Amino acid sequence: MQKKTRYIQTLQDFLLFFLGTYIGIKLSQFGNFEVSKLFNIIGLTFDIFGVVILSYVVISNEKIKEIVSGWGAATTISIVGFMPIGLFLGALIGIKFLGHEEVNNLFSYYLPITVYALLSAFFIEDTILMPKFSVFKSQDTRIKVLGGFFLLSGLCIQLYAAVLDLLGK
């Protein structure tokens, strides 16, 4: 990875971390919100990303394919890795410094979100960004895997949200 690219990636990681922190602070101001609704929004957003990537409407051009399989994968790692950390930091700031105690319910999901984020980041890095196996060397395959990741993750997150809603959590 070039030095300039590494700086841009680090800047992107920090920006998404701070965006997550901002969102966490804003969520803490909502008071007692239902976490299942937040998961539903995240799942739907991932579904949209997956459909757009898999539809090939956007990625019919080789240059766009290159960007999606490179920067798209790197950005996905930043989104699933750094935004949740920022989200929890923002919620913690909301609790400790702004007095919004109602957001405590978000922290009961810290472990599942962290495990999902770590597994997703490793998966994306090893299959799309820097493929370790020959089956993932093709750019078209990597793009399909990225789209499939978003689509399946979005559906699983929505299913998890539906179960939480059904259980009344």
Side-chain angles (χ1 to χ4, degrees):
M1 188 180 269
Q2 296 176 357
K3 204 174 206 180
K4 182 180 177 183
T5 305
R6 187 173 300 277
Y7 289 136
I8 293 170
Q9 180 64 44
T10 303
L11 176 64
Q12 176 178 289
D13 292 344
F14 277 111
L15 287 174
L16 286 167
F17 169 77
F18 289 121
L19 177 63
T21 304
Y22 175 77
I23 292 170
I25 291 170
K26 287 298 181 186
L27 282 176
S28 73
Q29 293 172 346
F30 282 140
N32 194 7
F33 67 94
E34 294 179 40
V35 177
S36 63
K37 294 186 192 272
L38 175 64
F39 285 152
N40 215 353
I41 292 169
I42 293 168
L44 284 170
T45 304
F46 274 32
D47 289 342
I48 291 168
F49 287 160
V51 168
V52 168
I53 291 170
L54 290 175
S55 69
Y56 284 101
V57 171
V58 174
I59 54 175
S60 58
N61 181 325
E62 285 300 316
K63 183 69 176 166
I64 294 173
K65 287 181 181 182
E66 212 173 280
I67 292 169
V68 169
S69 65
W71 281 105
T75 303
T76 302
I77 291 172
S78 299
I79 289 170
V80 300
F82 290 97
M83 276 189 82
I85 295 169
L87 176 79
F88 286 112
L89 177 66
L92 188 62
I93 289 170
I95 291 169
K96 295 294 181 191
F97 300 110
L98 302 175
H100 302 295
E101 295 291 327
E102 299 86 11
V103 79
N104 269 337
N105 61 345
L106 181 63
F107 284 94
S108 60
Y109 302 97
Y110 181 78
L111 183 62
I113 290 173
T114 303
V115 169
Y116 165 78
L118 287 173
L119 291 175
S120 295
F122 285 125
F123 173 77
I124 292 165
E125 183 175 332
D126 290 347
T127 59
I128 302 160
L129 192 59
M130 295 181 283
K132 302 238 187 285
F133 303 105
S134 60
V135 72
F136 298 116
K137 295 290 183 192
S138 161
Q139 190 173 40
D140 283 337
T141 301
R142 293 191 335 248
I143 290 171
K144 288 175 186 175
V145 169
L146 182 62
F149 164 79
F150 274 119
L151 201 55
L152 289 175
S153 287
L155 291 172
C156 287
I157 291 169
Q158 283 183 281
L159 182 61
Y160 183 63
V163 169
L164 289 177
D165 195 29
L166 181 68
L167 297 175
K169 292 185 178 186

